[in-house]
Amino acid sequence: MATKWGICSVGKIANDFMVALATLPPEDHQAVAVAARDLKRAKDFARTHNIPRAYGSYEELAKDPNIDIIHVGVLHTVHRDVVMMFLKNRKNVLCEKPMAMNTAEVKELTAAARKYNVFFMEAVWGRFFPVYEEIRTILSQKGIGDVKVVRAEFGSNQYHVPRAVEKELGGGALLDIGCYCIQFALMVFNGERPESVTAKGFLYETGVDETVTIILQYAGKRQAILTTTMMVAMPNQAAICGSKGMIQVPSCMWCPTSVIINGKETKFPLPPSTKPMNFTNSTGLSYEAEHVRQCLLKGLKESPLMSLADSELLATIMEEVRKQLGVTFPQDRA
Ligand SMILES: NC(=O)c1ccc[n+]([C@@H]2O[C@H](COP(=O)([O-])OP(=O)(O)OC[C@H]3O[C@@H](n4cnc5c(N)ncnc54)[C@H](OP(=O)(O)O)[C@@H]3O)[C@@H](O)[C@H]2O)c1
């Protein structure tokens, strides 16, 4: 039986998610309903992507009984309220990254997911790419020995995009793209909590972070050095350096299609896209969708590859980084 998806909002990532779903077999994945704050936009989106039901409010989507899981692609400033509404209606949820604005909001959501006993996952889509799968396999086999240093960077010239810079839209490099570097380090170190988090960076004129370098220091003399910026493009690579070798991830480290292990490159081509997309390599969102399907088929309430604890740790580190830089959002409590 196909997994029946509900789509919440008709923004840029929602479009790309639909294009990715269309690369998967229809007997496995079907989008059955979409909701936007405006019915006309929901209907237009439904027409573009062949979705049978369209709603003019998220509440109507939450009440639709014929849905297996909802993809939430609204801005992260409203993730807390929108996702909470779906969880209370006992809907499974795949929520775009970042899961919410700060640790308190993330913990409210993870607690609600546990309470209502529904599947909940932050859409850290790179984790389901074949390259990341390969990395996890090599690491679990100790293929590069003991990992000592991890490096990752994600820089993109996007300070002209309102969502990237405006505080009321949850702007800043960290929440938008820096989260991909942190989650990379967390995956390599298997969800371990770093002993310390050190961040240095600069703020944009709107008060959000524009460039940040983070050092995560782990027990046993291990480090991750992570840089993100919304001011300029960077090589956007990652490296995992171990006592017996090295794994290199060429651009784009957050959604990679090749990996170099001890100098040998392996490529993993993406599914071809059939419709225009807004973001790089978005047909790879299909790996995430299929992972979610497999979790649902097994009756899991969280993903073994991107657990609720992973999201909580990611949020805790991002909040600590913001504290060191002096970035606050209206959602932060005193
Ligand atoms: N996985 C990825 O690769 C990826 C890429 C880009 C973005 N994202 C994440 O996806 C989320 C959306 O990003 P996007 O680029 O798709 O943004 P976007 O195009 O601006 O769309 C955001 C949507 O948020 C909805 N929304 C609900 N309440 C809102 C409010 N009070 N103010 C403004 N918008 C509101 C709107 O939904 P309606 O359609 O109902 O009006 C809008 O379509 C962000 O959390 C972002 O971090 C993930």
Side-chain angles (χ1 to χ4, degrees):
M1 275 238 302
T3 299
K4 298 191 286 289
W5 290 88
I7 306 296
C8 173
S9 96
V10 297
K12 295 190 190 69
I13 191 64
N15 172 79
D16 286 15
F17 189 75
M18 284 309 308
V19 177
L21 269 195
T23 68
L24 293 167
E27 57 274 23
D28 290 348
H29 295 269
Q30 275 172 21
V32 295
V34 58
R37 292 173 298 174
D38 168 60
L39 181 58
K40 181 180 177 312
R41 288 172 50 251
K43 281 184 169 168
D44 289 347
F45 189 92
R47 207 170 304 116
T48 304
H49 297 289
N50 295 320
I51 304 174
R53 302 190 288 283
Y55 300 118
S57 74
Y58 304 153
E59 288 74 14
E60 288 168 90
L61 186 65
K63 299 289 179 206
D64 186 329
N66 201 16
I67 286 176
D68 294 321
I69 179 147
I70 294 180
H71 175 265
V72 174
V74 298
L75 284 189
H76 38 280
T77 47
V78 289
H79 280 181
R80 189 240 162 241
D81 291 350
V82 172
V83 171
M84 186 61 87
M85 193 259 306
F86 287 125
L87 296 177
K88 282 185 174 166
N89 281 277
R90 293 193 157 67
K91 286 286 188 280
N92 298 315
V93 172
L94 169 64
C95 173
E96 271 310 324
K97 45 55 61 180
M99 181 178 275
M101 293 298 290
N102 54 36
T103 316
E105 286 193 351
V106 164
K107 287 191 170 168
E108 272 184 76
L109 292 178
T110 54
R114 290 180 180 112
K115 175 177 165 189
Y116 294 112
N117 197 29
V118 292
F119 177 86
F120 183 35
M121 189 182 95
E122 182 178 7
V124 180
W125 57 308
R127 287 208 174 180
F128 315 103
F129 272 55
V131 166
Y132 276 42
E133 211 174 290
E134 183 74 5
I135 291 172
R136 286 190 297 267
T137 303
I138 301 289
L139 292 177
S140 70
Q141 295 166 344
K142 287 262 180 193
I144 57 164
D146 297 321
V147 174
K148 289 288 183 189
V149 177
V150 174
R151 195 175 52 69
E153 70 216 0
F154 191 166
S156 165
N157 169 337
Q158 56 184 35
Y159 56 92
H160 42 85
V161 178
R163 180 170 80 63
V165 293
E166 299 302 336
K167 227 178 213 199
E168 55 276 19
L169 302 179
L174 182 70
L175 291 192
D176 193 22
I177 54 180
C179 56
Y180 286 115
C181 300
I182 301 173
Q183 71 76 28
F184 184 80
L186 296 186
M187 182 185 79
V188 172
F189 290 128
N190 216 5
E192 194 179 322
R193 186 171 282 266
E195 282 190 335
S196 69
V197 176
T198 309
K200 294 292 261 181
F202 309 102
L203 304 193
Y204 194 64
E205 60 203 31
T206 55
V208 301
D209 53 291
E210 64 171 57
T211 299
V212 193
T213 292
I214 304 160
I215 300 180
L216 304 179
Q217 198 137 288
Y218 287 84
K221 299 185 182 176
R222 295 168 298 152
Q223 269 189 349
I225 306 108
L226 316 167
T227 298
T228 187
T229 178
M230 63 176 178
M231 304 309 285
V232 289
M234 291 182 73
N236 294 342
Q237 299 166 356
I240 307 167
C241 311
S243 54
K244 291 189 187 150
M246 192 193 299
I247 300 174
Q248 292 164 273
V249 184
S251 183
C252 310
M253 59 72 48
W254 68 97
C255 53
T257 54
S258 83
V259 62
I260 303 167
I261 297 164
N262 294 329
K264 185 173 176 295
E265 182 168 23
T266 310
K267 294 190 173 170
F268 297 89
L270 285 168
S273 112
T274 49
K275 287 189 178 140
M277 300 183 300
N278 297 299
F279 302 108
T280 308
N281 291 353
S282 279
T283 53
L285 289 161
S286 56
Y287 303 130
E288 171 183 80
E290 179 55 23
H291 173 74
V292 168
R293 170 174 164 79
Q294 292 306 321
C295 287
L296 294 179
L297 288 174
K298 288 179 193 140
L300 300 181
K301 301 302 173 193
E302 58 184 297
S303 159
L305 301 183
M306 187 64 211
S307 67
L308 299 180
D310 288 340
S311 291
E312 289 167 355
L313 182 55
L314 180 54
T316 306
I317 292 172
M318 292 203 289
E319 185 159 306
E320 176 58 27
V321 170
R322 285 201 294 115
K323 198 190 280 176
Q324 292 183 25
L325 296 175
V327 177
T328 54
F329 289 110
Q331 290 87 350
D332 295 330
R333 290 184 197 138

